[in-house]
Amino acid sequence: MTLDVEIPEPPTIRAPQDPGDYDAVKEPEDWTGDTTPREALAEFLREGAWADAFDEWREQTYVGEEEFRLVLDLGLIDEFDFYWNPSAADVGYRAPTLPESGTLSASDETLEEVDAEGIEEELDELGRTVSEVLENRYIDRSGEEFGFFADR
């Protein structure tokens, strides 16, 4: 099933969180809080990694157009976050979750009609896809121009 929607703008990467809070990341022993890798990831997303990953994801997702419209209406795309873990050389992600049905006024009826767990699983899959695209197509692990990608 292909989701026939326009690719939304990539999420804004926020200030770094605790690396242990991200999926697909082994928590580093030392956390510096350095934002340089995050800025590079944000640039990669803007330069095409987000579009590449979203396009790959929408070819296989089970989310329908109405459910995806709900995701957009709730602002969930911008709640994605990505983290470069230099010690494990991988990209972690935090996928958004749907709010509790009782916490929204305008969308309550819509939330009760959808498969919230299925949407959250598909959002998690989008995060995993973006993470893999960043790791495999955008990050030059041997490049010294990014500093944090070079072996230390």
Side-chain angles (χ1 to χ4, degrees):
M1 176 175 161
T2 299
L3 178 62
D4 188 21
V5 296
E6 288 187 34
I7 298 172
E9 290 295 314
T12 304
I13 295 184
R14 296 174 235 325
Q17 306 294 315
D18 180 348
D21 291 343
Y22 292 84
D23 293 322
V25 168
K26 295 179 186 175
E27 188 163 1
E29 291 179 25
D30 297 319
W31 182 50
T32 64
D34 185 9
T35 61
T36 305
R38 297 178 67 74
E39 292 164 6
L41 290 177
E43 186 173 331
F44 291 147
L45 291 173
R46 288 188 303 270
E47 291 179 350
W50 174 259
D52 291 347
F54 189 88
D55 201 35
E56 186 176 311
W57 172 79
R58 74 177 168 181
E59 292 293 322
Q60 299 177 25
T61 187
Y62 294 103
V63 170
E65 289 179 33
E66 188 172 315
E67 293 167 321
F68 189 71
R69 196 170 318 117
L70 175 64
V71 166
L72 293 177
D73 290 347
L74 293 173
L76 297 181
I77 294 297
D78 205 45
E79 290 187 28
F80 274 100
D81 198 17
F82 299 92
Y83 170 79
W84 170 254
N85 181 0
S87 63
D90 63 5
V91 176
Y93 65 93
R94 289 175 58 175
T97 58
L98 289 170
E100 300 284 328
S101 63
T103 61
L104 292 177
S105 57
S107 298
D108 278 344
E109 290 178 36
T110 310
L111 281 174
E112 291 174 9
E113 296 172 7
V114 299
D115 174 14
E117 186 176 322
I119 292 173
E120 289 177 352
E121 287 174 6
E122 289 299 308
L123 290 174
D124 185 72
E125 186 60 34
L126 175 57
R128 183 180 333 281
T129 302
V130 173
S131 176
E132 290 173 0
V133 165
L134 284 165
E135 288 176 13
N136 298 322
R137 298 187 212 163
Y138 283 82
I139 295 173
D140 180 6
R141 295 173 192 278
S142 64
E144 300 211 11
E145 65 270 27
F146 296 107
F148 60 92
F149 294 115
D151 291 328
R152 294 182 179 193

